[in-house]
């Protein structure tokens, strides 16, 4: 299987998913859009994964590559009907590519937080085998304010009602992170935009200790990421048989 990855920051990569793909012998190709990498011919790929980044959807007129990315996602999901997974910014890009609207949050959501699966989420194949209440890692100051037509909410919490969505039978977005590794917090803290939202959300003292707060949960996040990875690959296998 060939996986195409859209990245918007070099340190916001697929994390643990890379290990799972390598173990299974899948090929994957990362395109660093913010650095000017062109979107390749997407036809040879089986799965499109879009990661997070410090950019916001209301910057799309300032960032020509974001407009091109939205067009590519729309082609992939709507015209070709191929499986898609968006994480954080990738989740928001899916919504806007399909006609939804992303808006600023009143307060950024950063750090450990539970998300709760909705009734639709309990029945969804991407989240199969996961608990109804799941711990997540959050780092975002925007959220989906208006869902695209046909989208359903799979998980929610008080800070952000659209923590996970599905469109059709093949396109998913997760506002939260489970792919994080032991270097993620330190890597992201070095990004000025992320550091500012971290301090705003948690205060300087707790912000400084976020890495230590997250460390005991990395094993559980990796297990959740593996389950999600297995689930989406199962969806891919079922789709290929149809």
């Amino acid at each position: 299987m060939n996986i195409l990855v859209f990245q918007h920051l070099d340190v916001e990569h697929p994390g643990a998913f890379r290990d799972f793909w390598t173990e299974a012998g899948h090929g994957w190709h990362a395109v660093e859009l913010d650095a000017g990498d062109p979107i390749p011919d997407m036809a040879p790929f089986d799965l499109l994964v879009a990661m997070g980044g410090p950019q916001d959807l209301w910057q799309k007129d300032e960032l020509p590559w974001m407009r091109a990315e939205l067009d590519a996602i729309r082609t992939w999901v709507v015209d070709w009907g191929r499986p898609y997974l968006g994480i954080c910014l990738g989740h928001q890009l899916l919504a806007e590519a399909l006609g939804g609207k992303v808006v600023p949050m009143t307060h950024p959501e950063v750090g450990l937080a539970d998300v709760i699966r909705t009734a639709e989420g309990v029945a969804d194949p991407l989240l199969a085998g996961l608990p109804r209440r799941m711990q997540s890692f959050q780092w975002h100051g925007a959220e989906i304010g208006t869902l695209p037509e046909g989208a359903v909410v799979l998980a929610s919490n008080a800070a952000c009602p659209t923590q996970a969505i599905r469109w059709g039978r093949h396109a998913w977005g997760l506002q939260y992170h489970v792919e994080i590794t032991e270097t993620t917090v330190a890597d992201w803290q070095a990004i000025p935009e992320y550091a500012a939202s971290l301090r705003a959300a948690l205060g300087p003292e707790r912000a400084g200790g976020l890495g230590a707060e997250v460390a005991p949960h990395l094993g559980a996040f990796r297990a959740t990421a593996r389950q999600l990875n297995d689930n989406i690959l199962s969806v891919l296998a079922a789709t290929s048989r149809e």
Side-chain angles (χ1 to χ4, degrees):
M1 183 178 70
N2 290 321
I3 302 165
L4 178 60
V5 180
F6 287 164
Q7 291 185 187
H8 316 96
L9 184 70
D10 59 351
V11 296
E12 199 152 352
H13 47 66
F17 291 121
R18 300 177 303 177
D19 299 335
F20 308 148
W21 298 338
T22 300
E23 288 171 12
H26 300 308
W28 64 280
H29 174 67
V31 179
E32 194 70 36
L33 295 170
D34 61 300
D37 287 357
I39 295 173
D41 176 12
M42 299 189 298
F45 295 95
D46 305 294
L47 171 65
L48 176 59
V49 177
M51 300 305 301
Q55 303 86 1
D56 289 303
L57 266 298
W58 46 88
Q59 295 177 290
K60 56 184 176 286
D61 291 330
E62 308 162 30
L63 303 171
W65 59 260
M66 185 177 282
R67 283 285 189 188
E69 183 179 19
L70 287 165
D71 289 342
I73 292 170
R74 191 177 305 110
T75 295
W76 182 272
V77 171
V78 178
D79 298 339
W80 295 0
R82 294 189 184 180
Y84 172 95
L85 176 64
I87 297 174
C88 201
L89 178 60
H91 162 79
Q92 298 167 10
L93 284 160
L94 174 65
E96 288 237 356
L98 300 178
K101 183 70 174 176
V102 174
V103 298
M105 301 176 71
T106 304
H107 302 289
E109 185 182 23
V110 182
L112 298 171
D114 284 352
V115 299
I116 302 170
R117 293 162 70 185
T118 63
E120 292 84 357
V122 169
D124 189 83
L126 180 69
L127 304 181
L130 296 173
R132 181 147 195 178
R133 179 182 290 270
M134 299 178 287
Q135 189 174 67
S136 68
F137 183 70
Q138 306 276 355
W139 206 318
H140 64 110
E143 64 183 338
I144 298 172
T146 304
L147 283 170
E149 185 177 353
V152 295
V153 176
L154 305 179
S156 182
N157 70 8
C160 175
T162 52
Q163 290 285 352
I165 66 169
R166 186 190 71 245
W167 187 88
R169 298 172 57 201
H170 62 287
W172 290 270
L174 305 177
Q175 181 60 71
Y176 55 92
H177 299 271
V178 296
E179 81 286 359
I180 62 174
T181 70
E182 62 276 1
T183 66
T184 298
V185 173
D187 288 343
W188 293 2
Q189 280 178 316
I191 306 303
E193 296 94 331
Y194 287 176
S197 63
L198 175 61
R199 290 190 298 269
L202 303 182
E205 184 174 347
R206 190 177 168 203
L210 182 60
E213 184 179 341
V214 170
H217 305 280
L218 289 174
F221 283 136
R222 187 176 180 86
T224 299
R226 185 178 287 279
Q227 184 69 62
L228 285 169
N229 180 72
D230 291 349
N231 289 347
I232 200 164
L233 295 184
S234 294
V235 170
L236 263 169
T239 301
S240 67
R241 293 193 297 266
E242 292 178 353

